[in-house]
Amino acid sequence: VPLEETSLPLFFGWFLLPGIQDKVRCTSMDFLKTLDTLEAFKKHLPDFTVEAEKEVDLEQYFQANGALHCTTKFCDYGKAEGAKEYADKPIVKELYGSAFELSLSALFVTPRTVGARVSLSEDQLTLWPADAEKEAVPLVPAAATLPAGSRAHITLGCAEGVEPQQTGFDLLEILALQKEGQEGELVEEMELGSLAYYGKGRWLLSLREPVSAQACFSSLYG
Ligand code: A2P
């Protein structure tokens, strides 16, 4: 009996190929290393951490999890709403195991998570669940007004005690602020791109050159 008939995976998503995982991790490390030395970051440190610390080592602050990926549908082995419907979609079956090029357009840091924004192409959006942004509305009300695919991201690290799904909510919050016309306070032109501050410890680095990441559309049973 094929596995897919016995149970559903923990999640479906695009899994970065090993070489590009290393590159993305290095880029993220470089960014964190630079960010916590910037005067602007130090100035806003009280927004970042509630602890009365004068400094924070961001590379220590965030814990990296397993293989880098961009979740499309979290299924929780079938317990999540819409899991079976997603797994049964013809396009999901058709593209399962196919190679894609994801475009990583920004890196962001909040007191909870560090992640990469994934800007999905129209082809890639065919694999994006219709309700991904709506599911976030209880936590991020403005997510209702954002276009499909806005939540697409790669979790690069989480602060202690924070669940990886928080990364998508943090990204949606920043995008909602952008949409409201808050451009963020332009802080610095870095080698990687422009760094903006959105308050409450939220930082967004728009990459000058988006990182193109080869990835395989697949699933994880965990
Ligand atoms: P993300 O996609 O933001 O990295 P876990 O280890 O907690 O079981 O999660 C496995 C993966 O599924 C992680 O990548 C995680 O977050 C994602 N995930 C977990 N819960 C949800 C959820 N409720 N909605 C969407 N994605 C989720």
Side-chain angles (χ1 to χ4, degrees), residues 136-172:
V137 167
L139 285 158
V140 188
T145 67
L146 294 170
S150 298
R151 190 178 171 182
H153 67 278
I154 295 168
T155 298
L156 298 168
C158 293
E160 211 183 323
V162 174
E163 302 275 334
Q165 62 164 311
Q166 182 63 44
T167 318
F169 302 142
D170 286 355
L171 173 60
L172 286 170

Side-chain angles (χ1 to χ4, degrees), residues 27-45 48 55-59 61-62 107-111 113-115 185 187-188 190-198 201-205:
T27 305
S28 160
M29 286 291 187
D30 282 350
F31 173 46
L32 294 181
K33 229 181 251 169
T34 310
L35 183 60
D36 64 14
T37 64
L38 295 179
E39 279 312 314
F41 184 81
K42 289 181 187 161
K43 186 178 108 189
H44 291 297
L45 196 60
F48 191 88
E55 279 185 16
V56 58
D57 179 348
L58 290 177
E59 285 172 279
Y61 183 89
F62 294 111
L107 298 178
F108 56 93
V109 168
T110 76
T113 65
V114 53
E185 170 196 341
V187 167
E188 191 139 327
M190 297 171 73
E191 214 175 295
L192 288 167
S194 7
L195 178 70
Y197 186 61
Y198 287 88
R202 297 169 295 198
W203 299 85
L204 180 82
L205 175 72

Side-chain angles (χ1 to χ4, degrees), residues 57-77:
D57 179 348
L58 290 177
E59 285 172 279
Q60 304 270 312
Y61 183 89
F62 294 111
Q63 268 119 56
N65 44 359
L68 297 186
H69 64 272
C70 173
T71 305
T72 54
K73 178 68 188 171
F74 180 71
C75 293
D76 200 10
Y77 308 107

